[in-house]
Amino acid sequence: MTFTSSRVTPWAERRQRPAKGKSGKELAHESAEKHVLGTAVYIDDMPELAGTLHAVVGKSSISCGLITKLDLAAVWASPGVVDVVTLDDVPGETDIGPVYKGDLIFADGRVDFHGQPLFAVVAESFDQAKRAALQAQVEYQQEEPILSVEQALQQNSFVNPAHTMQKGDAVSALASAPRQLHGQLYVRGQEQFYLETQISYAIPGEDDGMQVYCSTQHPSEVQKLVAEVLDIPLSLVTVEVRRMGGGFGGKETQAAPWACIAAVCANRLQRPVKMRLDRQDDMVLTGKRHDFLNRYQLGINDDGKILAADIELAGFCGYTADLSDAIVDRAMFHVDNAYNLHDTRVIGHRCRTNTVSNTAFRGFGGPQGMIFAECMLDDIARAVGKDPLDVRKLNLYQDGDSTHYGQPIENYILPEIIDTLEADCDYRQRRAEITELNRTNPWKKRGLALTPVRFGISFTLQFLNQAGALVHVYTDGSVHLSHGGTEMGQGLYTKVAQVVANEFNIDIDMVRVAATTTDKVPNTSPTAASSGSDLNGKAAQNACQIIKSRLVVFAEQHFGVNASDVRFDNNHVVITKDGAEQWLAFSDFVDLAYRNRISLSAAGFYSTPKIHYDRDTASGRPFFYYAMGAACAEVEIDTLTGEYKVLRTDILHDVGTSLNPAIDIGQIEGGFVQGMGWLTTEELLWDGQGRLSSASAATYKIPTSVDVPEHFSVRLFGRPNAEETIYHSKAVGEPPLMHGIAVWCALRDAVASVADYKVSPQLDTPATPERVLNAVMAMQSLQAGG
Amino acid sequence: MIRFNLNGRWIESSEIDPNCTILKFLRTNLKQVDVKEGCAAGDCGACTIMLGQMTEHGIEYQTLNACIALMANVHDRYLLTSSGIGRAGKLHPAQQALVDCHGSQCGFCTPGFVMSMANLQQNACKAPGHIPDVAEIHEALSGNLCRCTGYRPIIEAAQRMHELPQQNLEYISLRSGVQSFDPRDAEQPLLEANGRRLFMPESEAQLKALLALYPHARLWAGGTDAGLEITQRFTQFDTIICVNRVAELTRCSEPGQDADDQLWLGACVTFSQAEKLLAESFPSFAQLLHRIGSRQIRNMGTLGGNIANASPIGDTPPVFFALDAILEIDGIHGHREVAIGDFYLGYKQTVLQPGEYLRAVRIPKLKATEHLWLHKVSKRYDDDISAVMFALYLSVEGGVISSARLACGGMAATPKLAEKTNAALSGKHFAVSSFEQAAAFIDQDYQPISDVRASDQYRLQVTRNLLIKAFHDMTTAQGDAA
């Protein structure tokens, strides 16, 4: 079936109207029609080559100890089994740690988390491989596992040394402050729960090469690790990803192991091998957002102004470092959120535990730091008896301040965003109504909170802030675009295509976005840190500008005009000569250029300016700029059961000059709901043996449609980015997740009403009905006691 | 051999393993990859399909989770998937609205949402003038998880699709005509492969004959729980008897049995059917059913299955305890009746013997003096499993509680009556003090465990509090008291 599109629009008609789908337009996702038809191809949907086999890993059944026996005879004997692969069968490198070493492709005699892969079995069908993997006879000599942050801190079990960031002298400023406060918060992790589970499809090629289709945010890293495990040059490995069914950070480093295993199996058997994790395996075998145990000591004055802060953050890293160093760093960078803490010391611990290695998840440690800032501000408000919003406003940074890592505060639009949202959502009036309602209703209590977000944009690992793109213009005027960014639903392909359409001033449907593949654009950074459109948009723009400058030079010579007489306009190139305009269809013009031997292909490149950071002194400018916003949430809790409902949410968010308002609003809405899920219904739980007990969709609950607040308003704060980003837009992927913190603060506000807002309730996350009820009961007993 | 219609094309197949799910067959055998696997456990809805049955009113469709439903279910049925519902080169209104409202991001869950929305639209087609409200939309989407969009644009699309020209999907299913089916010998396997067999009897007589031959066969009703044995534990059953097309078991009233004072519900009545049947006589029960699983699950799952699988966290058994339901059992040993209070022997154990099946459940209708108050506590509102399922029956005459039956799920190894609490309530005045005093007995009635859904302490506390909440709601008459 074919569907009508504007692909057939004649050039004459295209001239009559502005080019469609340029930057700033509310264009639909480039795959929207394919999504709704189900014809968008994910890796498991690709036609399988004849002879394709399926790999599944055998998993450990303990958390910590030595393997004393690994008998795989019954696995081999299982129906449909073609091969069984262990560590000894890996031809090259066996350590596939992405940044730090330590992640073995299969366990090497010892087990460090429950479910750790011990071997892989390859069978004719997926089900046969699954059944075979269960047949292994394994015996262990168990050791005592470390299963909590507290345990790790007590036993000095760390994946990397602690790191400190300082401003001024926190210790003496604390001592001399008029009032001291202290508190702590346990912030639980989060499962990415991308709908498409991890998958790779490896196809052996000539010269020992390997083609790998992998659902990954980081094709270049998969390429490198596959090359290393096979002991072949990178040039013999090609990794391609057209789209992912969601990523959220979970496919940044942790897509690679399954690609490596599939490649090793495919290489041994010289047959295509697919490795897909089913949902249970995906939840057990891959890392999640880190839990954090956070503690603070604050020095404040009687107004609630922060004078000093001494903060300790401890991340639950799992058994290896993975990306934990950078994640704990980012929690430290964002523990101030929007506020000037003045004299500050922040210590970040990276706790090693016998659990799966935790990894990137939208926000990358930022949310766990930022929620703690909001926790502190609420605690201050209760201590000084003020509305939390007033305390927040009192402590906001101002232009000219600097952070606890030395980055100057400039272009600080957050106070204006907060004031605008406060007025637009009737914060003060609703506060008064809610206070009155809570006084009169014995069972139901409402809560309200308005919280800001300030999120630093750039990879804190500086060299990653680069991108490449490849643009071909064909002689019919159609454009082929490749870049290093990957599409996981965030609309990156759409936005970058809009940039290209904008540069050439042609219709978006003339721009074909090709699958991301390592042989088109090499040495790419992961699509992460919200940087996708900032980096790849600029790289694609650069490629377009290279081609355009060649075309302009050609036009100058060919038509005998100056560069200023050549313009790209509405699918045409317009040559102005002697006061007369000559409109050449873009296709005719590029064909003419081709016939005059002008290259119509260019590689573009971009690296982020201005950023620098010295981790030894913990100072510099790690972020090119900050993305900002504010959210106001209202909730109602039932004080008998702890159940609650989010009634209303208003968000005002800063994306600079939007590249695509529809996509940006989608990112903000989706981010908020994901953040709300993190702090409400999504509870990751391990049992006493370190086995993940919330390992299925039946036990791990992400929000459903009815959980979305009935009144849900998202608006863009349309101020252009002061920095020289692509069309002065701002990154959007991660920051809105942290608007979910408003829901948690509102729940805490509702609970605090039980004790007349005099005490700040302890409410660790996620705030399940059980935790809310416990917090309510703690408030009730305080009231009774007081 | 089974025969079914996929997007307007008739397909016949005989070599299907009885354990094969619809999703597996579509994706692996037919390469119909527009149906996605997100969880293979009936929880995420990425595999949602529409399954239609020819009736006197034309084809009636409903959604279900292809991942846990057996292929046998599609026999003589019309199956629709997202790539098959467009017409004449145009997207279906559900699809067009999703595109217009920016309702997809990664797109992986989208085909499932499309099918839930298309089914909603199809229902509206069949009932002209009815535009689903937001509550109906949430119900239709309750079994579809999206991790990207935050749902807002999808909800908007589900509203806006009704403004687009409607499209009756029967046209697609009937493109290649209606095929007539020769009468089938239901005592022969519908499917037989790899030494395994599946039967699909259509009458109790056939079912009994099969049970005489295969008393240890796996009985399969909706399969929303049993399906997980195949997709999560990779079990392979040798003999399966599907009971959900046995005519007598799918009825909701039995001639002569359905007296004015009671309701007779066949064991294979689905939750979706029960929502409508119970709405009048048991509104609080009907209301509760809206929170069992998702729309897809309620279209498959049956009352009898919920009772007979003996899970301690089934949502309806506590209600049947509170209502003092009678269970009808039949099979190779003949007919017998058992009070629900005597049905459960222990964790996942019942009085059902090999060769027996649950035939029906009978519940007495409530008099004006009788009340049924139900509350389900879970982490998530929709599509979650109970931490505590609280079901309270009260008979109040002249301001005095003449009879009380509180039963809870999630509080013991089986659904269980709170006997001491009930004794404490009986004979007391209908006053808050009676409920407060009775609440102190909850700890004697139950010793729950801590698990992934809740701690033992929370379970006890919330059950005590629910007694107070029940009283409060009944007295303000704003709650869900019947």
Side-chain angles (χ1 to χ4, degrees), chain A residues 304-540:
Chain A
K305 196 168 178 66
I306 300 167
L307 306 173
D310 194 3
I311 296 166
E312 203 174 354
L313 309 176
F316 182 73
C317 300
Y319 85 112
T320 60
D322 186 81
L323 298 171
S324 293
D325 231 22
I327 288 166
V328 175
D329 276 0
R330 198 172 261 274
M332 297 166 71
F333 283 129
H334 287 92
V335 76
D336 59 345
N337 191 14
Y339 313 108
N340 192 341
L341 307 180
H342 291 94
D343 291 73
T344 309
R345 179 171 69 177
V346 185
I347 301 176
H349 301 288
R350 297 107 219 277
C351 298
R352 182 181 187 280
T353 50
N354 289 107
T355 50
V356 67
S357 193
N358 281 329
T359 192
F361 189 159
R362 200 174 192 173
F364 203 74
Q368 296 98 312
M370 203 177 286
I371 190 177
F372 200 45
E374 297 309 320
C375 172
M376 291 189 281
L377 270 290
D378 279 340
D379 291 356
I380 296 167
R382 302 301 171 221
V384 300
K386 282 186 162 182
D387 187 310
L389 180 57
D390 292 326
V391 175
R392 288 190 162 91
K393 289 167 97 165
L394 179 70
N395 284 289
L396 286 176
Y397 276 122
Q398 293 174 357
D399 276 338
D401 290 344
S402 83
T403 65
H404 54 288
Y405 46 89
Q407 176 148 351
I409 299 293
E410 49 194 22
N411 309 307
Y412 200 54
I413 55 174
L414 197 47
E416 197 182 334
I417 291 176
I418 291 173
D419 288 345
T420 309
L421 182 66
E422 177 188 351
D424 288 355
C425 76
D426 298 323
Y427 178 88
R428 300 290 167 180
Q429 191 192 330
R430 286 162 66 204
R431 167 63 70 195
E433 288 165 5
I434 286 169
T435 307
E436 181 55 28
L437 208 67
N438 288 343
R439 222 192 319 275
T440 52
N441 193 330
W443 310 114
K444 305 270 187 176
K445 302 288 180 190
R446 289 207 178 175
L448 184 70
L450 195 161
T451 58
V453 166
R454 181 189 64 120
F455 193 78
I457 302 300
S458 289
F459 287 98
T460 55
L461 197 55
Q462 196 172 327
F463 74 83
L464 292 176
N465 295 290
Q466 58 171 311
L470 180 66
V471 172
H472 306 317
V473 179
Y474 294 101
T475 52
D476 65 350
S478 63
V479 177
H480 179 105
L481 163 66
S482 302
H483 53 75
T486 56
E487 176 65 40
M488 60 194 103
Q490 83 280 43
L492 175 64
Y493 278 19
T494 313
K495 283 183 171 179
V496 181
Q498 284 178 278
V499 168
V500 171
N502 206 57
E503 288 299 316
F504 291 119
N505 210 332
I506 56 174
D507 282 359
I508 188 83
D509 51 32
M510 297 305 293
V511 183
R512 155 88 177 165
V513 196
T516 306
T517 169
T518 53
D519 60 2
K520 286 247 184 67
V521 179
N523 312 322
T524 55
S525 296
T527 308
S530 310
S531 68
S533 52
D534 276 14
L535 299 179
N536 295 291
K538 272 285 190 186

Side-chain angles (χ1 to χ4, degrees), chain A residues 1-4 26-29 31-42 44-46 48 126-127 130-131 134 190-197 243-246 248 276 278-280 361-362 442-444 487-491 638-644 660 662-663 665-667 669-671 673-674 677-678 680-683 685 693-694 696-708 710 712 768-771 773-774 777, chain B residues 24 27-28 31 33-41 43-46 81-92 94-96 98-100 102 104-111 113-114 134 137-139 141-153 155 175 196 228 230-236 291 375-385 432 451-459 461-462 464-466 468-470 472:
Chain A
M1 195 178 297
T2 56
F3 289 86
T4 322
E26 292 211 328
L27 203 71
H29 192 284
S31 289
E33 286 196 0
K34 288 178 279 185
H35 289 158
V36 298
L37 285 163
T39 55
V41 176
Y42 303 83
D44 199 38
D45 303 337
M46 294 169 60
E48 284 175 10
F126 177 77
D127 284 9
K130 286 294 290 191
R131 280 192 279 270
L134 299 171
Q190 186 179 24
E191 163 65 40
Q192 287 86 0
F193 210 95
Y194 28 69
L195 262 288
E196 179 209 33
T197 49
R243 61 173 63 79
M244 284 164 269
F248 314 113
R276 171 174 72 89
D278 64 11
R279 180 62 62 184
Q280 271 193 340
F361 189 159
R362 200 174 192 173
W443 310 114
K444 305 270 187 176
E487 176 65 40
M488 60 194 103
Q490 83 280 43
D638 183 323
T639 58
L640 286 169
T641 63
E643 296 165 298
Y644 50 81
N660 182 324
I663 283 175
I665 284 175
Q667 286 294 296
E669 291 172 338
V673 171
Q674 208 171 64
W678 167 49
T680 55
T681 57
E682 296 182 33
E683 189 171 30
L685 289 171
S693 39
S694 54
S696 72
T699 47
Y700 185 80
K701 298 312 219 184
I702 71 167
T704 67
S705 71
V706 81
D707 296 316
V708 177
E710 201 172 318
F712 185 19
T768 56
E770 174 165 352
R771 288 207 181 81
L773 182 65
N774 287 340
M777 286 165 56
Chain B
K24 179 142 291 167
R27 287 189 64 84
T28 309
K31 311 297 175 197
V33 293
D34 54 338
V35 189
K36 310 296 181 192
E37 176 179 321
C39 70
D43 286 306
C44 81
T81 70
S82 58
S83 67
I85 60 171
R87 186 175 162 181
K90 285 216 164 67
L91 298 174
H92 181 274
Q95 295 171 321
Q96 188 61 54
L98 276 168
V99 172
D100 294 345
H102 306 278
S104 71
Q105 285 183 23
C106 88
F108 198 83
C109 70
T110 312
F113 274 95
V114 164
V134 172
I137 289 169
H138 284 311
E139 278 214 9
L141 303 180
S142 58
N144 292 92
L145 297 181
C146 170
R147 192 52 154 168
C148 296
T149 64
Y151 300 100
R152 202 276 314 152
I155 297 164
R175 264 200 313 230
R196 294 182 278 270
L228 305 183
I230 291 173
T231 68
Q232 302 298 298
R233 287 183 277 284
F234 295 89
T235 309
Q236 290 172 302
R291 288 188 61 198
H375 195 90
K376 171 176 173 168
V377 178
S378 54
K379 278 184 202 163
R380 187 170 73 189
Y381 185 82
D382 258 345
D383 196 12
D384 198 357
I385 293 165
V432 72
D451 66 10
V452 66
R453 298 195 171 85
S455 71
D456 52 351
Q457 289 308 309
Y458 176 70
R459 287 185 156 114
Q461 183 66 49
V462 86
R464 289 192 293 263
N465 288 3
L466 282 171
I468 313 301
K469 187 174 168 66
H472 171 71

Side-chain angles (χ1 to χ4, degrees), chain A residues 39-49 52 54 196-203 211-217 219 222 239-245 251 255 259 262 273-277 487 515-516, chain B residues 27 33 36 106 108:
Chain A
T39 55
V41 176
Y42 303 83
I43 289 167
D44 199 38
D45 303 337
M46 294 169 60
E48 284 175 10
L49 294 174
T52 293
H54 302 266
E196 179 209 33
T197 49
Q198 304 272 3
I199 183 166
S200 281
Y201 186 31
I203 301 165
Q211 168 84 29
V212 184
Y213 297 91
C214 178
S215 181
T216 176
Q217 295 169 240
V222 172
V239 177
E240 177 172 321
V241 53
R242 171 59 183 86
R243 61 173 63 79
M244 284 164 269
K251 294 173 180 170
V273 173
K274 184 188 279 189
M275 175 138 203
R276 171 174 72 89
L277 304 187
E487 176 65 40
T516 306
Chain B
R27 287 189 64 84
V33 293
K36 310 296 181 192
C106 88
F108 198 83

